[in-house]
Amino acid sequence: MENKIKLNAEAFEKLLNIEYYFCLGYKGKGFEVRVRFAEEDFHHLEGIGQLRDLKIHSESGNITFDKALDGLITQTQLEKSLFFEKSFVQNKIDCLHLLERVFDENRVVFRFRKDQSGKTKIESELFLNTVVDTEDIYVYLDMVDGSENEYFCRSFVANPDYDRTVGQLKLTTLWQEKIDLCAGTSEVIYQYKNFTPKDLKK
């Protein structure tokens, strides 16, 4: 049987040397967002952090990621948790391999307003919402402590039971760039009219 968790880890590994750079605007003011990926983030994005009754829940994120890459974590193991279904972990397992495409194809970023949703405990500043291969995917971003524009993926949600964009603040994407930190190359994914990052008014 195909090990989806291993496939997700392999897809996530490809993002470890990638940075997504955004210029976003709202009411004439702009700001920069740089999103990077770390091995320890996989633990929660895959939903393992929500399975509180399993030993793997308390393991280091780096250890979890290495085990996933080696094929040592299976869905059968995770399904033993009493929290597997209520935490919608299946949706994460089915869709996390699409994460890179979510960023590549996304054109809409929202400022997250927790008090407007009322149904989620997620702590986040921004989120993306993209439909990829009919899968409705949300990626929540939070700022790295002590930074000005560095963000990480806080949570990954696929096919929720309600529209999470309702009541949220839609930002204008002015520029989106995919940077390969290892090769030193970059690709402009999206550009609003003739905007360039030097035009950003903070």
Side-chain angles (χ1 to χ4, degrees):
M1 179 182 291
E2 182 180 63
N3 186 336
K4 291 183 179 181
I5 296 170
K6 184 178 190 299
L7 293 177
N8 288 342
E10 291 172 346
F12 191 78
E13 186 178 37
K14 296 176 182 178
L15 288 170
L16 297 179
N17 291 317
I18 297 296
E19 173 183 285
Y20 285 94
Y21 171 65
F22 296 82
C23 291
L24 304 173
Y26 181 72
K27 290 187 175 181
K29 292 188 177 182
F31 62 100
E32 298 171 300
V33 170
R34 296 183 179 274
V35 183
R36 292 190 182 184
F37 307 85
E39 293 179 359
E40 57 265 28
D41 297 337
F42 180 83
H43 182 89
H44 191 68
L45 297 177
E46 186 72 300
I48 295 171
Q50 295 170 277
L51 308 179
R52 303 190 297 274
D53 53 349
L54 297 184
K55 181 180 178 181
I56 194 174
H57 161 267
S58 58
E59 287 185 344
S60 161
N62 290 334
I63 292 176
T64 299
F65 182 69
D66 288 341
K67 284 184 175 181
L69 272 180
D70 292 338
L72 300 178
I73 302 174
T74 66
Q75 181 170 325
T76 301
Q77 292 173 313
L78 301 187
E79 287 176 345
K80 294 178 181 178
S81 170
L82 297 175
F83 301 98
F84 185 85
E85 289 189 17
K86 66 178 67 176
S87 298
F88 301 101
V89 175
Q90 183 67 63
N91 292 358
K92 301 175 190 291
I93 292 173
D94 289 341
C95 298
L96 187 59
H97 68 281
L98 298 171
L99 184 61
E100 184 172 8
R101 285 186 58 191
V102 171
F103 277 89
D104 286 349
E105 299 174 22
N106 177 77
R107 299 294 176 265
V108 182
V109 181
F110 293 85
R111 175 75 73 183
F112 181 56
R113 293 173 168 175
K114 184 176 181 180
D115 59 334
Q116 296 292 318
S117 65
K119 296 182 180 180
T120 176
K121 296 180 180 179
I122 295 173
E123 297 289 344
S124 160
E125 290 199 17
L126 306 170
F127 71 92
L128 317 180
N129 175 223
T130 309
V131 175
V132 180
D133 292 345
T134 74
E135 309 288 357
D136 187 20
I137 298 176
Y138 295 75
V139 179
Y140 292 83
L141 308 175
D142 218 354
M143 188 178 290
V144 175
D145 289 341
S147 73
E148 293 185 359
N149 58 23
E150 295 178 17
Y151 287 74
F152 67 99
C153 294
R154 168 74 74 181
S155 187
F156 178 91
V157 177
N159 301 316
D161 54 1
Y162 65 98
D163 184 353
R164 295 188 173 210
T165 66
V166 174
Q168 302 293 327
L169 182 63
K170 184 178 179 181
L171 304 172
T172 300
T173 301
L174 303 169
W175 180 273
Q176 189 172 339
E177 186 175 354
K178 185 177 185 179
I179 302 169
D180 187 320
L181 300 170
C182 190
T185 58
S186 66
E187 173 191 0
V188 177
I189 297 175
Y190 176 77
Q191 181 182 22
Y192 178 76
K193 296 183 178 180
N194 295 318
F195 176 89
T196 63
K198 63 181 176 55
D199 299 322
L200 189 66
K201 297 178 180 178
K202 299 182 180 181

